[in-house]
Amino acid sequence: MTQAFDFDAVVVGAGAVGLACGYALSQRGLAVAVLESEGHIGQGVSSRNSEVIHGGLYYPTGSLKARFCVTGRRLLYAFLDKHHVDYKKCGKLVVATDEAEVERLEAIFDQALANDVEGMERLTGAQARALEPGLNVHAALLSPESGVFASHDYMLALQGEVEAAGGAVVVHTPFEGAAPLAGGGFTVRIGGAEAATLTCRLLVAAPGLSAQAVAARIEGFPKDQIPQGHFGKGVYFRLAAKAPFQRLIYPPPIHGALGTHYRNDLGGQAVFGPDLEYVPAPDYSVDPAKAAAFAAYIRKFWPAVPEDLLVPDYAGVRPKLHGPDEPQPDFQLRGADTHGLEGLMALFGIESPGLTSSLAIGEEVARRLA
């Protein structure tokens, strides 16, 4: 006798990646429920980031980050066009402010070509300043495919697609646990005002910051297959003045992150960030005293930065799989080949470029499960 399920697939987490997984599964004709513990979609990592569409320059050849970022970016621009979501393909300058950083630019350029990033150009300092007067730059790389977009509107469009396909995106619905069924599939326990148990054939855990906690609440998930997690906090400062540059401005990456960069957001305001600080728990406070350190860092590529006009803006927390002095690992998509539970995909360490990669991650999850 065939098991009857409440849903073909349940996705835990209604951030950009969870919604993209739900979208990809629903496009394959599956009945999907996306569960979110918060009162609105995209309230975690997806709501507190740079809203940058990354080109795919930096990531190691053949890595999931490299593949998903480039593929995801191409899918994302097409999706944004189709759903009339606002974006600006402004391009990015990766800048060397002195001769000592040029070698790092060359390595990034070679990596971008290996990753099949389109349109990359090397620029002299004079060429970069012709594009962005006021920039302190010795040499630069131009990535014309990079941009910024309205990430919440994107997530609303994903939600609309899931619901149009007959699925459900349910908020105020915390995941309490899951257990495999004898004949395949899972029971899923949900909390909230109306606690309930439902069944599904496929289960996707994509809850961002709580990935480890969610995996630990799935019966039979081996503890040694739950990677250690870390919280990487980054704060942003907004400039209370006219935006100085039109393009994204990125110094070479710092250890473990892309570092403090500049963007001109869709509202025309200049935003700098994020920095990186490891914290024991999510913390979204912004210390105004950090303005001095931000100004000192920004001054390397924009000497005229007015420190007194840097205003605390917001903070985000990223789900990292590496500590402060450890190498940065790849995205982790763990299926039955690692944890032994057929029909389950658990995602860990989906930080930058997770937003850009989200549609490609969703496609990979759906391909491997459905």
Side-chain angles (χ1 to χ4, degrees):
M1 184 174 175
T2 303
Q3 167 77 44
F5 296 105
D6 296 315
F7 293 94
D8 294 315
V10 166
V11 179
V12 181
V17 172
L19 289 166
C21 291
Y23 167 64
L25 290 162
S26 67
Q27 292 298 295
R28 287 159 169 79
L30 303 185
V32 178
V34 183
L35 310 180
E36 174 55 51
S37 62
E38 298 291 337
H40 302 278
I41 64 170
Q43 294 300 293
V45 181
S46 300
S47 68
R48 295 172 172 274
N49 56 64
S50 300
E51 295 192 304
V52 168
I53 301 174
H54 290 286
L57 284 61
Y58 309 99
Y59 313 107
T61 306
S63 66
L64 295 181
K65 286 184 177 180
R67 180 157 61 90
F68 290 163
C69 186
V70 173
T71 302
R73 166 175 52 79
R74 294 167 182 165
L75 292 172
L76 182 57
Y77 278 126
F79 185 95
L80 299 179
D81 281 332
K82 179 180 177 181
H83 294 84
H84 307 290
V85 175
D86 197 15
Y87 71 88
K88 180 168 56 177
K89 193 186 282 190
C90 54
K92 175 203 288 190
L93 289 174
V94 185
V95 299
T97 57
D98 56 40
E99 178 66 34
E101 292 182 326
V102 172
E103 186 176 343
R104 296 182 67 194
L105 285 196
E106 286 300 312
I108 293 169
F109 184 83
D110 291 343
Q111 190 63 66
L113 296 186
N115 292 351
D116 197 29
V117 179
E118 311 92 323
M120 292 295 300
E121 294 182 47
R122 294 185 182 93
L123 301 180
T124 64
Q127 289 171 322
R129 285 189 296 275
L131 295 177
E132 298 289 3
L135 196 61
N136 175 43
V137 53
H138 183 82
L141 302 178
L142 173 62
S143 169
E145 291 297 317
S146 302
V148 295
F149 75 121
S151 62
H152 194 73
D153 290 345
Y154 163 61
M155 289 185 283
L156 287 172
L158 287 171
Q159 177 181 359
E161 287 282 4
V162 172
E163 293 173 342
V169 177
V170 192
V171 297
H172 292 301
T173 308
F175 172 84
E176 299 292 347
L181 291 164
F186 300 87
T187 59
V188 177
R189 303 189 310 279
I190 56 177
E194 298 183 17
T197 299
L198 53 85
T199 60
C200 59
R201 182 166 61 87
L202 306 172
L203 179 60
V204 179
L209 293 173
S210 58
Q212 284 77 7
V214 164
R217 292 199 290 268
I218 300 172
E219 291 181 23
F221 200 111
K223 287 186 169 45
D224 62 0
Q225 288 300 320
I226 302 176
Q228 183 178 1
H230 305 269
F231 297 119
K233 177 182 176 180
V235 303
Y236 295 81
F237 279 76
R238 189 171 296 269
L239 183 70
K242 182 181 177 181
F245 310 116
Q246 294 305 304
R247 292 162 186 81
L248 295 157
I249 309 296
Y250 276 66
I254 63 174
H255 182 76
L258 294 184
T260 301
H261 56 262
Y262 161 91
R263 80 180 190 273
N264 182 346
D265 70 14
L266 291 176
Q269 292 188 295
V271 181
F272 298 91
D275 61 355
L276 175 59
E277 175 190 1
Y278 283 85
V279 292
D283 167 20
Y284 299 108
S285 63
V286 182
D287 182 0
K290 281 196 166 189
F294 263 68
Y297 189 90
I298 296 162
R299 203 169 284 122
K300 296 176 185 177
F301 62 84
W302 184 33
V305 58
E307 181 180 331
D308 59 330
L309 296 182
L310 288 176
V311 179
D313 199 0
Y314 65 99
V317 178
R318 289 154 278 177
K320 291 187 169 292
L321 298 181
H322 64 290
D325 299 313
E326 298 170 351
Q328 190 167 15
D330 204 359
F331 292 149
Q332 300 292 316
L333 277 60
R334 300 202 172 181
D337 56 330
T338 59
H339 53 60
L341 298 172
E342 290 294 336
L344 170 66
M345 186 67 64
L347 281 55
F348 299 98
I350 311 297
E351 55 164 329
S352 182
L355 186 60
T356 302
S357 303
S358 53
L359 289 172
I361 293 172
E363 281 296 312
E364 178 72 5
V365 167
R367 182 189 69 78
R368 290 173 62 176
L369 286 181

